[in-house]
Amino acid sequence: CDALVYLHSEGVIHRDLRAENVFLHKDFEKGRIKLVIGDFGLSRNVVLRELPQGDDAGKEGQPPAPGYGQGGYGAYSCHGKPMPIVWTAPECFETGEAFKRSDVWMLSLLMWETLCYGDRPFRHVMDNKKHKTAAKKIRVLLNDLEENDVRPEIPAEAAELFPGLVELLGRMWLYDHEDRPSAQDVLKVLKAPRSLTAGGDGAGLKRSDASLH
């Protein structure tokens, strides 16, 4: 998560966060193993676009609108671009744009993959032979996410041991990207282990927190 925070601080959206793109790196000097994000083939610089006409948010002396940067918002147009269907956030398919919090959606699925020993999410869609084309799979997946509120099932043992993590993933899985926490928000929670375990303080993220970064 530190790496994702750094990428976002540099205006970069990764767009392909998943378990197979995270590598183990041995730091011989410190004698420890670190997780490293790789495969930047789909990564792009954020495009700053102006706010709609008549909207004062982001202008000098005015606070930016929730989820938007000063004077515009960060988005990358991904119309016609390759995207990993299973991990891609819904707004990327619906609007054709990727945001920093689209990466947060992908990070949540990466965390889920870790809990499930590398299993892949949304197999009920991707492995269904009735859905023969990518377009059909995307339509079914978006309907499940928005209309049926389908999300990956968290293993019972993990949910019991880490209720705060369940809460955090729930925030990261919100359908509207502006309602999700930022990568920085997620990092703060992960660096406070007590907030994740049973009997701890909880993830501590409220709906309004998503608009702070």
Side-chain angles (χ1 to χ4, degrees), residues 161-176:
L161 292 174
F162 304 106
L165 181 59
V166 175
E167 179 185 347
L168 176 61
L169 289 173
R171 302 296 305 155
M172 298 169 74
W173 282 332
L174 288 174
Y175 196 82
D176 189 330

Side-chain angles (χ1 to χ4, degrees), residues 94 140-151 175:
E94 292 189 328
V140 172
L141 182 57
L142 289 178
N143 182 73
D144 277 352
L145 291 173
E146 184 175 22
E147 301 298 330
N148 302 324
D149 201 27
V150 173
R151 298 295 186 274
Y175 196 82

Side-chain angles (χ1 to χ4, degrees), residues 38-206:
D39 196 341
F40 292 88
L42 296 182
S43 300
R44 296 294 184 272
N45 288 330
V46 170
V47 178
L48 291 179
R49 305 187 350 170
E50 293 183 0
L51 290 174
Q53 187 176 2
D55 190 341
D56 289 332
K59 292 184 178 179
E60 187 175 356
Q62 297 290 334
Y68 289 61
Q70 191 70 31
Y73 62 90
Y76 171 72
S77 176
C78 44
H79 281 293
K81 309 293 196 309
M83 292 183 286
I85 295 175
V86 172
W87 295 270
T88 297
E91 63 272 6
C92 300
F93 295 119
E94 292 189 328
T95 69
E97 293 182 330
F99 301 84
K100 291 179 180 178
R101 295 176 199 228
S102 305
D103 275 351
V104 170
W105 174 280
M106 301 187 93
L107 176 61
S108 70
L109 294 179
L110 167 58
M111 293 164 64
W112 179 87
E113 287 180 283
T114 304
L115 291 174
C116 297
Y117 301 101
D119 194 10
R120 293 198 171 193
F122 307 120
R123 284 188 177 274
H124 71 287
V125 174
M126 303 308 294
D127 293 346
N128 192 327
K129 294 182 179 180
K130 293 182 180 179
H131 313 322
K132 297 183 179 180
T133 66
K136 175 63 174 179
K137 294 178 190 294
I138 291 170
R139 287 196 299 270
V140 172
L141 182 57
L142 289 178
N143 182 73
D144 277 352
L145 291 173
E146 184 175 22
E147 301 298 330
N148 302 324
D149 201 27
V150 173
R151 298 295 186 274
E153 184 177 355
I154 298 174
E157 183 178 0
E160 182 178 353
L161 292 174
F162 304 106
L165 181 59
V166 175
E167 179 185 347
L168 176 61
L169 289 173
R171 302 296 305 155
M172 298 169 74
W173 282 332
L174 288 174
Y175 196 82
D176 189 330
H177 72 94
E178 292 186 1
D179 290 334
R180 296 175 206 142
S182 68
Q184 182 67 54
D185 292 327
V186 175
L187 180 60
K188 288 179 181 178
V189 175
L190 294 179
K191 284 192 171 183
R194 178 175 168 76
S195 67
L196 302 176
T197 57
D201 303 322
L205 286 175
K206 300 178 182 178

